[in-house]
Amino acid sequence: MDHIRLSEAGSSVIILDQSLLPLEEKYIKLTTLEEMAEAIKKLRVRGAPAIGIFAGYALAALAKQQCRPKAISSCCGASGTSDEGFIQILQTQGDVLKDARPTAVNLAWAVDRVIHAVRVEMFRARREDPTRLNANAGARRLAEAATREATAIHEEDKAMCRAIAEYGLEEVRKVCTDAGHDGPIGILTHCNAGPLATSEYGTALGPVLLGTEQGVKFRVFADETRPLLQGARLTTYELQKAGVDVTLICDNMASSVMKKGLVQAVFVGCDRVAANGDTANKIGTSGVAVLAKHYGIPFYVLGPSSSIDLECPNGDAIPIEERDPEEIRSKFYEKPVAPEGTECFNPSFDVTDAELITGIITEKGIFRYPYTESLTAFSK
Ligand code: MRU
């Protein structure tokens, strides 16, 4: 069952609340814009591709609500009775969703894509009947366009994850063959870039899940990923369910397992890849990349092309989300661990320099350094 989906009526979004995992598997139904934005902020739905998929469905659901009789009279000065008014309302709602988290480019990308599809539908309706110039396609037709586009984003993500998994699996098998390594393949991963963060297979966990289906043996070291513990709570949960050998380590133990020769490759996901290959991912990722370089271990970023932002020249231009200091001071502890009022710095992501990345594995293939050239070719 998809962990993000539209309700049967199409006017709400249903998600598996990831903030409760692994203790509780609970699906929640989100209907209002406020509930939807809160779900993104509170990481009830999280992972760059997943928040893109969610935002697509959220807009589709909100568009469907505009079809209700008397549902919309006005919003932010826009009237819901014309196509333009319908789109203006959707745009305002999309901006609220975009503001919920700034780093993952997939969120804004999905919002813009759905609104563009709705606009295209409006123009299509006008073209069909030139005498109806400036007349309305109507809310129902525009809402259907939003739902189609959101569904397409979701379906495409499934196909992208599968392709990323195939490329990544082939690459890591080659790395092992070249190094004369046999036995289980040791992978270190940071945060969670599995099915929960996407649609199916995931990105960083895709090669592991696909390989496991094919009988390849892996041993995964999952960084716990302070402060929100996506590695401890979600990566272990997903890999155990799939029957993969997974060992949880504290973030500061990565060097130790690498030094022991237990890691053949590092696989991480991404929230935004800049045009020069600098990559934002969960805080702590860049440190893992530095360690991998030191120990001569290949470090791969795996992500769909929707996570590549060619408008963003380099890592300095990527907005980094800062979160509540209480996530460091007290969350997940029975009692706060730091003296009250302790100053905390809590950036949710960091940027790994392009030079440290062995390859960026996408559904279109593997891009290599220098990324300014390889990623530019990708856009053509
Ligand atoms: O704060 P989160 O849990 O949304 O952070 C998630 C990550 O950093 C993932 O690695 C990234 O979004 C890629 S998910 C395929």
Side-chain angles (χ1 to χ4, degrees), residues 247-264:
T247 302
L248 178 64
I249 57 172
C250 298
D251 298 336
N252 53 7
M253 295 168 190
S255 175
S256 174
V257 292
M258 287 182 179
K259 194 178 169 98
K260 287 183 201 299
L262 295 171
V263 179
Q264 275 62 59

Side-chain angles (χ1 to χ4, degrees), residues 21 49 70 130 170 241 271 302 324:
L21 290 173
K70 287 197 278 161
E170 193 183 329
K241 275 198 161 196
D271 287 81
L302 297 93
D324 184 351

Side-chain angles (χ1 to χ4, degrees), residues 46-49 101 191-193 197-198 203 230 270-271 281-282 349:
R46 47 143 302 279
R101 291 192 85 187
C191 195
N192 172 263
T198 60
T203 56
Q230 289 91 334
C270 51
D271 287 81
N281 190 50
K282 179 52 54 195
F349 301 93

